[in-house]
Amino acid sequence: MRDYAFGDRLTALRQECGYSQFQLACLVGVSDKAVSKWETGVAKPRMKTCQRLATVLGVDIDELFCTDEHNSSLGGHGMNKNKLWAAAEERLYSLYGNEPDFYLINRFKTEKSFLQDTDAIVLFAAIARVRRVANEHGTLINIRGPLNGSFTAWLMRATVFNPLPAHTYCPKCKKISFHLDAQDGLDLSKELCECGCWLTRDGHNLPFEAYLDKVKSNFCSVDCVVSSGIVSEAWREVLVFLQNDYSCDRFIYLQTEETGFPGQFSRLYLNPKKNDIFYECIDEVPEISNNAMMTRSKSGCSSILLLDNKSDDMRFPVIPSLDALLAPSVLQLAMQKNCAPQYFLDNISSFHDLVQAEAASHASFKDGWDLIQFAADNGLSRYTNLPLTREEVWLTIIKASRENTGIASDILHNIKLGNYARGKATCDTELMIRMGLPHWFPEYASSILYLFPKSHCVDFAYRNLVEALHDESN
């Protein structure tokens, strides 16, 4: 007897995720004919295959076998994730038109394939609520971690930094043009579209592939620095979203601790173990204050951390225009807010230069190794021409290795951990040169102890610009 109920359920889940039968088959590792047989009730997948199906479709194994009628009464945690993914995809089409550039679709689908079985999309939606509260109070938030490097997070409004390559975009006719020779979209020239509308300049070139070594820890543990006074309201918005909008049927856990930073931090965990302290509803959560002290560690759970910044250096009544931010006088003031040595800050003339200065100030190299001298000795006009962040290292390797991502991932992993510099891995100079990497790359890779993520540097550089413009206006 054919199982039409399971077939209809599978069809509905597949369509909600936006997959064709062929795409689903590729992700699960079967033929499209097998998927067709399941959906028409001719056959049913084995249990191991069902587990892969559930993971790909973003649902629990039990939900995979629920009928639509039964599932609608459950609140459907996995189904709500699908709705959030659908909302992100809908915004992609609303921004870029019914036939967006293939690169946009591929970037979104790539992120979805890696993140859909995690809580990342839930955290993106929650952080968007925090950002909305911050905007209403005229404050910035600073996000630590690679969330700024996710196109999906940008579509969900969790970050204001578009991670795509430098590009111009027309909000009227939806046309997008990539400028692959540009380092950062904010530095592109101001232009009019053929339709008469001013083009939006955007894109910080943050490749998602640079974060794939630790997908879950990179995107399922989000730390935010927020302005003093909005923490309680921000948490309330997050909790309302989790319980009401998201229909969270899993427990949430709240922790508040003192920290060495000025102020406090508080962390919310999704799905803690049942033998831990937890709260099932908003009314049970205490006010965020010094008296709400719970210090139990919850490693392994998806989480959001808010650090309450007690200073007022994140309050700005009006978020300025791009032209105002990139005025030469503002760039010079922003340069002074950077903690880098002065020789890193000479001749700052673009947003990319400011990002590179941030990267240089946080990078760490072997004792006695001189970044400026190394650039000069190797015929580079400025140190900013070196890949000073993890993401830029990835792009340099990928460009040379012709998409050999396995080799690129291995090299990036060793550079990020400082393995070449510490002698924990052998830097294969011959392989790197054979790949087409610059002649100076092996020595450079062997000198790096630590590189900062570009997703951090972009955030810091932008904040310095906003502070500088605010100071100049006052």
Side-chain angles (χ1 to χ4, degrees):
M1 181 180 294
R2 296 194 178 196
D3 188 347
Y4 293 106
F6 174 82
D8 291 344
R9 174 75 174 142
L10 180 59
T11 302
L13 289 171
R14 173 179 62 78
Q15 292 175 345
E16 192 163 358
C17 289
Y19 297 136
S20 66
Q21 288 185 343
F22 177 75
Q23 289 171 323
L24 179 60
C26 291
L27 289 169
V28 176
V30 298
S31 68
D32 55 343
K33 290 183 179 179
V35 174
S36 176
K37 288 181 178 180
W38 300 338
E39 292 190 351
T40 55
V42 173
K44 290 183 71 172
R46 295 179 179 179
M47 183 52 65
K48 286 186 177 179
T49 305
C50 287
Q51 292 171 344
R52 291 201 298 271
L53 274 171
T55 298
V56 168
L57 296 171
V59 298
D60 296 326
I61 191 72
D62 291 338
E63 291 181 72
L64 187 62
F65 291 93
C66 288
T67 63
D68 289 339
E69 180 179 354
H70 178 54
N71 186 69
S72 65
S73 66
L74 292 177
H77 187 72
M79 293 298 289
N80 279 309
K81 280 187 185 179
N82 288 339
K83 290 177 182 177
L84 292 174
W85 280 107
E89 187 169 14
E90 182 179 350
R91 185 159 189 254
L92 188 157
Y93 283 98
S94 70
L95 287 172
Y96 298 105
N98 294 328
E99 296 182 358
D101 187 280
F102 173 77
Y103 178 85
L104 303 178
I105 298 295
N106 185 62
R107 173 73 182 246
F108 177 75
K109 293 291 187 183
T110 298
E111 292 192 15
K112 184 176 180 181
S113 68
F114 281 98
L115 298 177
Q116 66 182 348
D117 62 339
T118 73
D119 290 319
I121 193 72
V122 183
L123 299 187
F124 295 165
I127 293 301
R129 270 69 177 177
V130 176
R131 188 173 291 281
R132 184 172 65 191
V133 172
N135 290 341
E136 290 172 353
H137 287 267
T139 73
L140 299 177
I141 70 171
N142 174 243
I143 298 179
R144 299 173 178 176
L147 181 143
N148 288 327
S150 168
F151 183 46
T152 307
W154 182 80
L155 290 171
M156 295 293 289
R157 299 182 175 87
T159 176
V160 296
F161 302 112
N162 190 314
L164 299 178
H167 64 274
T168 54
Y169 159 75
C170 179
K172 183 178 179 180
C173 65
K174 313 295 185 184
K175 179 182 177 182
I176 185 170
S177 298
F178 290 102
H179 298 253
L180 300 182
D181 57 335
Q183 299 283 4
D184 196 285
L186 300 194
D187 297 322
L188 295 173
S189 301
K190 191 174 181 179
E191 295 180 16
L192 277 172
C193 180
E194 295 175 352
C195 71
C197 183
W198 283 108
L199 294 173
T200 298
R201 296 163 284 167
D202 213 342
H204 300 287
N205 208 8
L206 305 173
F208 180 74
E209 291 82 0
Y211 313 115
L212 294 185
D213 56 336
K214 295 180 180 178
V215 172
K216 186 169 183 179
S217 61
N218 279 341
F219 292 99
C220 293
S221 181
V222 182
D223 295 0
C224 298
V225 182
V226 298
S227 183
S228 180
I230 73 164
V231 174
S232 293
E233 186 177 346
W235 274 133
R236 188 67 49 173
E237 284 291 314
V238 169
L239 295 171
V240 167
F241 158 70
L242 287 174
Q243 187 174 25
N244 296 346
D245 299 341
Y246 183 56
S247 302
C248 185
D249 57 358
R250 300 194 295 176
F251 298 121
I252 55 176
Y253 172 97
L254 192 64
Q255 169 181 327
T256 308
E257 297 179 2
E258 294 292 345
T259 176
F261 294 98
Q264 276 191 316
F265 72 81
S266 43
R267 188 183 292 275
L268 179 147
Y269 295 94
L270 298 182
N271 198 28
K273 297 177 182 178
K274 291 189 177 182
N275 60 347
D276 289 321
I277 302 171
F278 60 83
Y279 302 100
E280 274 188 271
C281 66
I282 297 168
D283 293 338
E284 294 182 11
V285 178
E287 289 297 317
I288 309 299
S289 69
N290 292 335
N291 296 323
M293 298 294 293
M294 288 161 282
T295 58
R296 302 186 66 180
S297 172
K298 290 308 320 121
S299 60
C301 295
S302 300
S303 66
I304 301 170
L305 177 143
L306 299 187
L307 172 61
D308 186 355
N309 187 338
K310 295 297 184 183
S311 66
D312 288 329
D313 61 357
M314 300 184 74
R315 290 188 172 276
F316 306 99
V318 178
I319 301 300
S321 67
L322 184 59
D323 291 333
L325 276 179
L326 296 180
S329 60
V330 177
L331 278 169
Q332 293 306 309
L333 280 175
M335 173 190 73
Q336 297 169 16
K337 293 180 177 294
N338 192 293
C339 61
Q342 183 58 43
Y343 54 80
F344 282 151
L345 303 176
D346 293 335
N347 302 314
I348 296 288
S349 60
S350 67
F351 184 76
H352 174 67
D353 287 346
L354 206 57
V355 171
Q356 291 293 80
E358 286 286 349
S361 68
H362 289 90
S364 176
F365 300 94
K366 290 193 302 187
D367 289 343
W369 196 82
D370 190 320
L371 180 66
I372 304 297
Q373 189 61 49
F374 177 80
D377 291 346
N378 285 278
L380 301 173
S381 57
R382 296 187 64 197
Y383 78 92
T384 54
N385 292 327
L386 290 167
L388 294 172
T389 64
R390 300 170 187 179
E391 293 89 339
E392 288 179 333
V393 167
W394 170 267
L395 290 171
T396 300
I397 301 170
I398 283 296
K399 183 178 179 180
S401 65
R402 299 174 182 84
E403 303 299 322
N404 291 316
T405 55
I407 298 174
S409 296
D410 185 57
I411 294 174
L412 178 61
H413 174 75
N414 284 311
I415 289 176
K416 283 170 63 174
L417 297 180
N419 286 342
Y420 295 140
R422 294 183 174 90
K424 294 182 178 180
T426 302
C427 184
D428 193 333
T429 300
E430 184 179 342
L431 172 64
M432 291 180 181
I433 297 302
R434 200 165 70 240
M435 287 169 60
L437 283 163
H439 68 277
W440 46 260
F441 190 88
E443 181 184 349
Y444 180 63
S446 298
S447 303
I448 297 169
L449 293 172
Y450 176 79
L451 289 183
F452 216 49
K454 187 179 180 181
S455 55
H456 285 34
C457 298
V458 168
D459 203 332
F460 290 156
Y462 180 80
R463 177 179 163 181
N464 285 343
L465 279 175
V466 174
E467 287 183 9
L469 181 60
H470 181 71
D471 292 347
E472 185 181 61
S473 301
N474 294 332

